[in-house]
Amino acid sequence: MFSFAPTIVLFPLLGFLFLGLFGARLRNEKLIGILGSGTVGLSFLVAVALFIHMLGLEPDQRKGIVELFSWIGTFTGTASSVNVSVAYQVDQLSILMTLVVTGVGFLIHVYSIGYMHGDPGFWRFFTYLNLFIFAMLNLVLADNFLLMFLGWEGVGLCSYLLIGFWYDRKFDVGGYAPGKAWTNDAAKKAFIVNRIGDFGFLLAMFLIVVQFESLSFDAVFGRASVMTPGSDVMIWITLLLFLGATGKSAQIPLFVWLPDAMAGPTPVSALIHAATMVTAGVYMVARCSILFALAPATLQVVAVIGALTAIMAATIGLVQNDIKKVLAYSTVSQLGYMFLAMGVAAFTAGIFHVVTHAFFKALLFLGSGAVIHGMHDEQDIQKMGGLKKYLPVTYKTFLIGAIAIAGIPPFAGFFSKDEILWKAFSSDQGSVLLWAIAAAGAGMTAFYMFRLVILTFEGKERFDHHHAHPHEAPKTMTVPLIVLAFLSVVGGFIGVPESLMGGNALEHWLEPIFAPAMTALRATPHHGGITEYLLMALSVGIAVAGIYGAHTVYMKRQELADAWRSKYRRIYQVLWNKYYVDEAYDALFVRSTVKASETVLWKGLDVSVIDRLVNASAQGVAWLSSKVRLIQSGFAQRYATIFVGGIVLVLFWLMFK
Amino acid sequence: MGIQLYLYLSAILFMIGVVGVIARRNAIIVFMSIELMLNSVNLTLVAFSAFLGDVTGQMLVFFVMTVAAAEAAIGLAIIISLFRNKQTVNLDEINILKW
Amino acid sequence: MLTEYILTITIFLPLLGGLALLLVDKGSVNTIKMVGFGATALTFVVSLYLYFAFDPMAAGFQFQHKVVWIENLAISYSVGIDGMSLLLILLTTFLTPLALLGTWNSITHRIKEYMVMMLLLEVGMIGVFAALDLFLFYVFWEAMLIPMYFIIGIWGGQERVYAAIKFFLFTLFGSLLMLVAILALAYSASTIPGGQFTTDLYVLYGVGPRLALNVQSWMFLAFALSFAIKVPLFPLHTWLPDAHVQAPTAGSVILAGVLLKMGTYGLIRFCLPLFPDAAFVFTPAMTSLAVIGIIYGALVAMVQTDMKKLVAYSSVSHLGFVVLGTFAMTEEGIQGAIIQMVNHGLSTGALFLIVGMVYDRAHTRAIADFGGVAKIMPVFATFFMIVTLSSIGLPGLNGFVGEFMILVGSFKSAFLGSSAYSIIATSGVILAAVYMLWMYQRVMLGPVRPDRLYGGHALTDLTRREIATLVPLVVFIVWIGVYPGTFLKTSAGMAKQVVQTMESARQGGQARFVELKNR
């Protein structure tokens, strides 16, 4: 049964190739849409079949590796040299990720049929989407670091292609650059910032090769599990891997590409920058849990950065006016929570949040897409309001998504977020401070999400009725919304903790994956008792307070918003300008490098110094010749004189030798 | 009486020829000087041949005379061509092969 | 019988084509082009036989053919190939017909001479990779300078004469020093008891390592200088931007695709095994220059305004990787270097063809003159993107395979001693993405600029001929990226041997120095 696993990866690849080569000729949108979605749907079905098969197996049997062919290596037969294959590993963690990727991916493909209707690049969109799914599946199903890296960079490539999909359009970057930037600037930024993270990933791989003499997960993790924790090399490996994760999953310091990535079509934001690609970093940390467990210092770093990112992004999200930007910063913030979970060794909680976040964040993005579609490409929430009358399905599903992300039980977000908060407090690696930061962030999350809901859907209509005619989205778009809303409601039940009488199915399912890490950490399970219930109630209370606060400020007493804005003008400016991080990076790194390269390296060194040396040597030879040629006077008698002189000299020499 | 006198004569003629080649301006005079040099060598060869009783020297004289004749013919042809182009045979004014 | 002569046939087949061209009338342009293309294509087919008949498991050189040339100096016409030279010969015979096909209509005057020059160039190139006698190697090495000089100087751009002379003299300077070293090495073969003056490589492989360190050092430097100029290694690279920009497209393709590989080929074939002790001494210097070249080439490429110059500097950057892999002297490093030579030939060759296709239409190469080309030429945009991605080392395409192996190999290399080289070189992948994607954006994306009428020329999408030129390149770009085993297996034996030679030289060398100290 496991041998069917490669077909999961194969279907989207075939879709990409077929649509890439023939898509331009197929004039029929429906056909392209069905083909594009169908391949992902097929992958989903195979994944489901595999999952059901695995349910019937014993926990330690639930793993299969299918090797396809030898990929990169020296092929010299030396055992210690690098030799990596294309091989796929199906286990509890990868099948879970696969189901999320293909399931949510399928829904978004269907949604795109409606959203991208009429676009001249319709076939190109589905081609790139299929390529993305192919790359993402390679990432989560790989059985070694190098194949995972192929998926890792592959999703980066698709992100680049899809963000810059409308390649002749400008987009508004908010407070960043005066004037407007092009979509491809955002795409390029995403790719390059990701590459900085990939630099870390590559170095980590080299260290792994030196340390473990292999790149396959089984070999590396097997050899790692007998190492003693805290060694320098492990800290370096995990720090570098985490650098890669901060790039891919938009954490401090490499998060700056994600908000700009909103320049792409909304389904792209939903699929890549919410549900799947950005969670690749979290998945990678989870997959390498044993390595991180052997480097407690790195775990601390991960947790701190996760927490800081969570709260920083939340503060920025409080004041943004573009509907997608709010959701983008929300994503950065939620990813921070996932890394916080990883950092406190709550690996299952982190993966849990990946799953639930995929549901409700995709829902929110698709909903915002429906709003944008209905408002004819308007994205500024200050120009919306009262839309619940015109887009009822969108409103209801969006509201469900907002409630889920705020963390209100029994919706999905509550269970996952609450577990993270509890583990941040109670785990060996956690602390009250981390919990406090996370809880504050949760409050802000509820606040800004409901600010978004209210400003968009409730209250007075602030849009110009002459220009905007808001209407509900077609079925291809609303049906996925409804499905995702349903999942946002019930999705949390896979991980109901024991303290609430649930079986915590997810924890048991993933236990064999994280067992080596937990053993290395000598983690003791904490039974919270009263403290756990107290914190649970507290987190719900904070969420409710956030919602109530948003309701008050934006519904009842709107003058408060303006009052705060003028009273705390300085703080507002800093938040609205995203702490000026983009500007700082631009000045420190981008502009200085370009200027230095141009003046110092090119004009200064290459042209002035090296080339001048070369030309000078040529000129030197020319100068020498100009002196030597003076011997050629043209007078034959002069030459004769020299002959005679020479003969005389020779004669003298012969005579007086 | 010994060969010395003949050799002295040849040497003096040769030197006169060399000075003529180096110091005279007119190309025809230079050619005459070259002929003088060649003939001085002829004199040396004949002198030695008579003195040593070996006829090889006189044979070589014939070679030298032939070469001198040929060279004079071609050389004068070149001078005439030069004169046609440059309207002069003054060597101080002819430096076409200058750098 | 065939195995003995096949290599010689491969080398000189283009020459036969050239001779055939002498019979063709100057005016029948199409016939000239067909004969020239046919000769190069035929050479490719013949070289394929070499590939299929090659035995990857056998040690040493295959298809050897030796004819005594200058007897009392023991100089012979000796040719033979192993895995690395086979791959490079295939690259040569593959790229030359494609270069001609891609620029079918670019050259309009003196086509016959042009075709003859290209054929002579091919003879020289294949000969360099096949020569097993140092004197013969030198002859072929010089032999491919002259046609290239003419190609740049006659059919090139505005500043072609300067560029051609610079290229010629720069390379010649290094080659002459190499000649001195060759002669000195051949002479030292005669100082060994029982030996004689010879330039045969087999014999010299035994002579070189036994020389004293200071003798080895200057010989190594002489060889390395010549090869370093060819690679090109920083700071001897300044001939490259001028030569590339001024050369006609096919000339650039061959120059970047094959000629630059001769430098790196020479380093692996001659510098390392002939002078191992000197190689160890100079490894830090060479590696530092290579790494500097990677970063420097990338940074300077970033600020170029001419597309061809940008690609030229990117070559400096990419070949820095190859030199890094060479001096890592690990299996991954050498294998990575070899495959990266092939990769660079394919990717950069394709890039120059692409730039040439745009230049044929718009008659300008300045990036500022372009914008929004993707909308007018979508097929072209796709090919350009694929080749760009290959150039920046996207996993799944060929560039990644070589880069990764080189970086891993140099990271874990005992010879290099420090992993700092590898770390700095890895940051080069970030810079590569920067300059390539920025160029792609400025040329292909954004809106079509109506004020840019491209000098009145219409930009049309690729013709079938141009697609037929690019498709084989893309096929190999993907093939090597997904299943490089086909090619890595060919050179695996040779790489292993090189590493073993250097390893035993390192150990033997230390013992030898101990012995010298104790004397």
Side-chain angles (χ1 to χ4, degrees):
Chain A
M1 186 66 200
F2 281 118
S3 53
F4 282 103
T7 58
I8 302 179
V9 182
L10 189 63
F11 287 129
L13 177 65
L14 291 174
F16 161 70
L17 288 171
F18 185 79
L19 286 174
L21 288 169
F22 306 113
R25 267 170 264 184
L26 296 168
R27 299 281 160 204
N28 190 335
E29 267 187 12
K30 218 183 230 174
L31 185 59
I32 296 174
I34 293 179
L35 265 171
S37 319
T39 53
V40 184
L42 279 173
S43 296
F44 178 67
L45 290 174
V46 175
V48 168
L50 267 174
F51 177 68
I52 296 176
H53 172 78
M54 284 164 75
L55 278 175
L57 295 173
E58 288 298 315
D60 51 356
Q61 298 265 336
R62 289 173 181 156
K63 182 166 131 173
I65 299 186
V66 181
E67 183 173 327
L68 288 184
F69 56 87
S70 210
W71 184 30
I72 296 182
T74 56
F75 290 90
T76 52
T78 314
S80 66
S81 57
V82 171
N83 266 301
V84 178
S85 310
V86 170
Y88 295 111
Q89 175 171 329
V90 180
D91 61 14
Q92 297 93 328
L93 181 59
S94 63
I95 197 70
L96 181 62
M97 295 296 297
T98 308
L99 287 169
V100 171
V101 169
T102 50
V104 175
F106 175 70
L107 290 170
I108 296 180
H109 273 74
V110 172
Y111 177 95
S112 305
I113 301 179
Y115 190 84
M116 301 299 290
H117 167 69
D119 193 297
F122 190 86
W123 66 273
R124 220 164 30 98
F125 191 74
F126 279 90
T127 312
Y128 293 155
L129 274 187
N130 262 306
L131 181 64
F132 170 78
I133 299 282
F134 168 71
M136 190 72 206
L137 287 172
N138 266 296
L139 204 164
V140 299
L141 282 171
D143 100 315
N144 60 70
F145 280 98
L146 203 58
L147 187 59
M148 181 194 234
F149 188 70
L150 177 134
W152 189 270
E153 287 237 4
V155 296
L157 168 71
C158 295
S159 176
Y160 169 80
L161 291 172
L162 284 163
I163 294 174
F165 182 71
W166 291 312
Y167 53 77
D168 51 0
R169 270 191 218 184
K170 288 187 162 150
F171 82 107
D172 190 6
V173 249
Y176 175 23
K180 290 163 174 246
W182 299 89
T183 57
N184 196 256
D185 287 319
K188 204 177 47 179
K189 184 174 178 179
F191 194 87
I192 291 174
V193 174
N194 262 260
R195 267 256 157 147
I196 300 177
D198 296 346
F199 165 76
F201 198 120
L202 278 170
L203 289 180
M205 274 200 284
F206 301 153
L207 279 171
I208 291 177
V209 167
V210 171
Q211 179 72 21
F212 297 106
E213 285 190 357
S214 169
L215 279 172
S216 93
F217 292 149
D218 267 355
V220 174
F221 297 151
R223 286 171 208 168
S225 55
V226 296
M227 282 177 67
T228 52
S231 60
D232 269 351
V233 69
M234 287 316 294
I235 294 182
W236 273 112
I237 292 179
T238 47
L239 273 179
L240 287 166
L241 281 175
F242 182 59
L243 179 64
T246 61
K248 190 65 64 186
S249 302
Q251 298 294 291
I252 294 172
L254 297 175
F255 63 94
V256 289
W257 64 271
L258 188 56
D260 285 7
M262 297 301 112
T266 310
V268 171
S269 310
L271 180 60
I272 299 186
H273 306 126
T276 47
M277 172 174 126
V278 291
T279 55
V282 184
Y283 166 75
M284 187 262 285
V285 174
R287 175 59 79 194
C288 302
S289 52
I290 178 69
L291 298 181
F292 281 88
L294 289 169
T298 315
L299 278 180
Q300 280 284 57
V301 173
V302 173
V304 168
I305 290 197
L308 284 178
T309 311
I311 196 154
M312 181 209 74
T315 56
I316 300 179
L318 286 173
V319 302
Q320 295 299 315
N321 289 322
D322 181 314
I323 190 173
K324 284 176 71 174
K325 281 264 169 64
V326 177
L327 293 176
Y329 283 104
S330 170
T331 304
V332 175
S333 179
Q334 295 302 307
L335 287 166
Y337 280 101
M338 295 176 215
F339 280 104
L340 171 61
M342 294 299 169
V344 298
F347 300 113
T348 309
I351 295 291
F352 191 11
H353 204 56
V354 168
V355 177
T356 58
H357 177 264
F359 296 150
F360 54 69
K361 194 43 75 56
L363 169 61
L364 287 168
F365 264 111
L366 294 185
S368 74
V371 169
I372 296 171
H373 168 94
M375 294 289 287
H376 290 287
D377 294 335
E378 178 58 70
Q379 291 184 204
D380 189 341
I381 56 178
Q382 294 174 305
K383 300 205 182 99
M384 298 181 188
L387 286 179
K388 68 178 178 188
K389 193 164 64 174
Y390 303 93
L391 292 83
V393 178
T394 308
Y395 169 63
K396 293 198 193 91
T397 52
F398 199 89
L399 187 61
I400 292 177
I403 300 176
I405 197 176
I408 306 290
F411 286 52
F414 163 70
F415 293 105
S416 56
K417 193 184 289 195
D418 184 74
E419 188 165 344
I420 295 178
L421 287 173
W422 165 240
K423 285 278 161 58
F425 182 85
S426 65
S427 150
D428 290 332
Q429 289 78 10
S431 68
V432 181
L433 182 60
L434 283 174
W435 175 88
I437 298 177
M444 288 189 222
T445 306
F447 185 87
Y448 68 66
M449 276 316 301
F450 274 85
R451 167 179 178 266
L452 187 64
V453 172
I454 293 168
L455 284 179
T456 309
F457 293 101
E458 312 269 4
K460 278 200 305 251
E461 297 173 10
R462 291 184 299 279
F463 52 89
D464 183 355
H465 278 268
H466 290 290
H467 291 134
H469 304 283
H471 55 279
E472 185 57 274
K475 278 268 177 34
T476 48
M477 286 165 69
T478 52
V479 167
L481 286 177
I482 297 173
V483 174
L484 285 169
F486 174 71
L487 287 169
S488 301
V489 174
V490 308
F493 295 141
I494 58 174
V496 181
E498 274 131 17
S499 46
L500 290 177
M501 253 68 72
N504 206 339
L506 188 64
E507 177 111 30
H508 290 299
W509 174 257
L510 288 177
E511 198 184 330
I513 302 274
F514 300 124
M518 301 315 256
T519 318
L521 285 169
R522 275 176 271 273
T524 50
H526 291 257
H527 296 292
I530 281 291
T531 331
E532 194 177 347
Y533 291 116
L534 195 61
L535 287 177
M536 215 180 283
L538 207 53
S539 61
V540 177
I542 293 174
V544 170
I547 297 177
Y548 183 69
H551 181 81
T552 313
V553 173
Y554 291 102
M555 278 286 271
K556 291 241 221 50
R557 300 176 57 193
Q558 272 139 7
E559 64 281 5
L560 269 184
D562 299 311
W564 284 351
R565 200 180 306 161
S566 36
K567 187 165 162 204
Y568 301 107
R569 240 177 62 84
R570 208 65 72 67
I571 299 181
Y572 180 79
Q573 282 285 51
V574 170
L575 288 182
W576 201 68
N577 282 306
K578 308 159 282 140
Y579 296 100
Y580 297 104
V581 176
D582 278 315
E583 288 79 349
Y585 282 171
D586 189 51
L588 268 175
F589 299 115
V590 179
R591 247 178 266 170
S592 54
T593 312
V594 174
K595 206 76 183 94
S597 301
E598 185 160 7
T599 48
V600 174
L601 289 184
W602 185 33
K603 303 217 173 100
L605 188 56
D606 217 63
V607 173
S608 304
V609 177
I610 301 181
D611 237 4
R612 221 179 254 178
L613 265 175
V614 171
N615 288 339
S617 64
Q619 279 155 9
V621 173
W623 174 86
L624 188 61
S625 319
S626 73
K627 298 292 170 243
V628 172
R629 70 179 176 178
L630 294 173
I631 297 179
Q632 297 294 113
S633 63
F635 296 114
Q637 285 182 313
R638 179 88 67 82
Y639 303 155
T641 318
I642 300 178
F643 288 173
V644 172
I647 291 171
V648 168
L649 281 171
V650 170
L651 273 175
F652 269 112
W653 182 72
L654 277 176
M655 283 202 295
F656 302 116
K657 191 164 60 142
Chain B
M1 63 164 146
I3 199 175
Q4 297 95 312
L5 284 180
Y6 292 99
L7 294 182
Y8 289 149
L9 180 60
S10 308
I12 292 166
L13 286 176
F14 191 84
M15 291 279 60
I16 295 172
V18 168
V19 170
V21 166
I22 290 178
R24 296 302 296 255
R25 282 194 311 258
N26 193 310
I28 312 256
I29 303 294
V30 167
F31 265 91
M32 282 165 56
S33 309
I34 293 177
E35 288 297 313
L36 187 56
M37 283 160 64
L38 285 168
N39 281 303
S40 77
V41 171
N42 281 350
L43 184 58
T44 314
L45 283 170
V46 169
F48 269 112
S49 162
F51 197 68
L52 293 175
D54 188 353
V55 81
T56 318
Q58 295 175 37
M59 239 173 39
L60 284 172
V61 169
F62 280 102
F63 278 111
V64 174
M65 282 201 291
T66 318
V67 168
E71 168 244 325
I74 297 174
L76 286 170
I78 292 177
I79 291 182
I80 291 175
S81 181
L82 198 57
F83 182 76
R84 282 198 190 138
N85 278 299
K86 283 265 170 173
Q87 306 306 317
T88 178
V89 287
N90 184 340
L91 285 179
D92 284 344
E93 294 167 21
I94 301 172
N95 61 347
I96 309 173
L97 289 182
K98 179 184 150 132
W99 62 264
Chain C
M1 235 289 261
L2 187 62
T3 46
E4 217 197 318
Y5 288 107
I6 187 72
L7 196 51
T8 310
I9 294 175
T10 315
I11 297 176
F12 289 106
L13 200 51
L15 185 61
L16 282 181
L19 290 172
L21 269 181
L22 288 176
L23 304 169
V24 178
D25 171 41
K26 207 188 303 190
S28 40
V29 166
N30 266 322
T31 320
I32 296 176
K33 292 183 189 173
M34 293 300 288
V35 170
F37 178 74
T40 52
L42 189 59
T43 316
F44 175 62
V45 171
V46 172
S47 65
L48 279 181
Y49 170 80
L50 285 173
Y51 176 77
F52 287 115
F54 184 78
D55 177 10
M57 297 300 167
F61 296 97
Q62 298 177 34
F63 304 108
Q64 288 196 58
H65 185 196
K66 187 164 172 175
V67 175
V68 174
W69 190 2
I70 305 175
E71 204 172 324
N72 42 2
L73 292 176
I75 295 175
S76 46
Y77 170 86
S78 172
V79 292
I81 54 173
D82 65 357
M84 172 171 67
S85 31
L86 175 63
L87 285 176
L88 290 171
I89 290 179
L90 284 172
L91 179 69
T92 311
T93 56
F94 180 67
L95 270 184
T96 315
L98 284 180
L100 290 176
L101 184 63
T103 58
W104 199 256
N105 298 316
S106 306
I107 307 289
T108 46
H109 72 290
R110 301 172 80 169
I111 301 184
K112 194 164 152 187
E113 287 88 337
Y114 173 76
M115 208 49 84
V116 170
M117 287 299 149
M118 291 293 281
L119 291 170
L120 286 177
L121 190 57
E122 192 173 5
V123 171
M125 295 191 291
I126 305 178
V128 163
F129 291 130
L132 287 183
D133 179 289
L134 276 181
F135 189 78
L136 183 67
F137 170 78
Y138 187 78
V139 169
F140 278 121
W141 180 269
E142 297 296 311
M144 50 93 185
L145 272 190
I146 312 234
M148 199 69 227
Y149 165 77
F150 280 119
I151 290 175
I152 300 177
I154 301 180
W155 294 280
Q158 280 278 62
E159 308 265 327
R160 58 187 181 271
V161 177
Y162 169 74
I165 296 181
K166 193 172 178 183
F167 159 76
F168 188 81
L169 289 180
F170 218 132
T171 317
L172 191 68
F173 171 70
S175 313
L176 287 175
L177 285 175
M178 180 167 77
L179 180 62
V180 175
I182 290 177
L183 293 174
L185 186 58
Y187 174 73
S188 55
S190 65
T191 58
I192 293 191
Q196 58 159 151
F197 182 99
T198 177
T199 52
D200 186 83
L201 195 56
Y202 270 122
V203 174
L204 292 176
Y205 272 151
V207 170
R210 288 150 77 177
L211 296 173
L213 183 59
N214 54 342
V215 178
Q216 272 193 37
S217 293
W218 82 258
M219 285 189 190
F220 176 87
L221 280 177
F223 270 84
L225 184 72
S226 171
F227 296 137
I229 294 177
K230 207 79 185 151
V231 167
L233 198 61
F234 177 91
L236 304 165
H237 63 283
T238 51
W239 62 271
L240 186 67
D242 289 304
H244 264 134
V245 171
Q246 301 302 326
T249 304
S252 290
V253 172
I254 301 289
L255 179 58
V258 184
L259 261 67
L260 299 185
K261 312 301 173 292
M262 295 185 183
T264 48
Y265 167 83
L267 285 173
I268 300 182
R269 172 72 82 227
F270 302 112
C271 283
L272 290 189
L274 284 174
F275 316 113
D277 303 305
F280 297 141
V281 169
F282 287 109
T283 294
M286 297 293 282
T287 324
S288 306
L289 287 178
V291 172
I292 293 176
I294 294 175
I295 305 293
Y296 177 86
L299 287 176
V300 179
M302 203 163 60
V303 293
Q304 293 303 314
T305 52
D306 178 324
M307 281 199 274
K308 253 186 160 182
K309 238 186 191 164
L310 190 149
V311 181
Y313 278 108
S314 82
S315 288
V316 177
S317 189
H318 282 128
L319 288 166
F321 276 103
V322 177
V323 177
L324 174 65
T326 306
F327 281 94
M329 295 186 234
T330 54
E331 283 181 6
E332 292 86 351
I334 302 277
Q335 277 281 61
I338 297 175
I339 199 72
Q340 193 67 347
M341 283 194 245
V342 176
N343 290 340
H344 178 263
L346 294 173
S347 314
T348 308
L351 268 178
F352 276 115
L353 278 171
I354 282 172
V355 173
M357 287 171 194
V358 163
Y359 180 77
D360 277 347
R361 290 163 169 76
H363 294 280
T364 171
R365 275 187 314 260
I367 296 179
D369 285 347
F370 289 100
V373 178
K375 240 201 164 81
I376 318 173
M377 301 169 71
V379 178
F380 174 77
T382 315
F383 278 110
F384 196 177
M385 177 50 85
I386 296 177
V387 178
T388 301
L389 293 173
S390 155
S391 196
I392 66 181
L394 186 79
L397 296 179
N398 59 352
F400 176 72
V401 176
E403 271 178 18
F404 180 75
M405 297 204 12
I406 288 173
L407 290 171
V408 164
S410 52
F411 192 87
K412 62 184 253 204
S413 163
F415 292 88
L416 282 183
S418 162
S419 46
Y421 298 110
S422 182
I423 297 175
I424 301 176
T426 311
S427 66
V429 306
I430 307 173
L431 296 171
V434 172
Y435 65 74
M436 284 308 293
L437 288 181
W438 197 24
M439 169 171 81
Y440 190 83
Q441 176 182 358
R442 285 179 292 170
V443 174
M444 305 301 295
L445 304 176
V448 181
R449 300 164 67 165
D451 55 321
R452 298 275 165 233
L453 292 175
Y454 306 108
H457 308 274
L459 290 190
T460 53
D461 211 349
L462 295 184
T463 62
R464 270 194 315 217
R465 172 186 58 84
E466 288 168 329
I467 296 181
T469 313
L470 289 176
V471 165
L473 289 166
V474 169
V475 164
F476 277 104
I477 284 177
V478 175
W479 185 348
I480 299 182
V482 173
Y483 194 65
T486 328
F487 308 96
L488 288 171
K489 281 192 200 130
T490 311
S491 53
M494 179 258 166
K496 191 167 184 167
Q497 202 175 10
V498 171
V499 174
Q500 275 172 350
T501 314
M502 302 311 286
E503 265 296 341
S504 56
R506 183 166 80 136
Q507 273 134 22
Q510 287 163 354
R512 210 171 17 126
F513 283 141
V514 169
E515 173 195 306
L516 283 170
K517 262 196 285 185
N518 290 343
R519 229 185 267 165

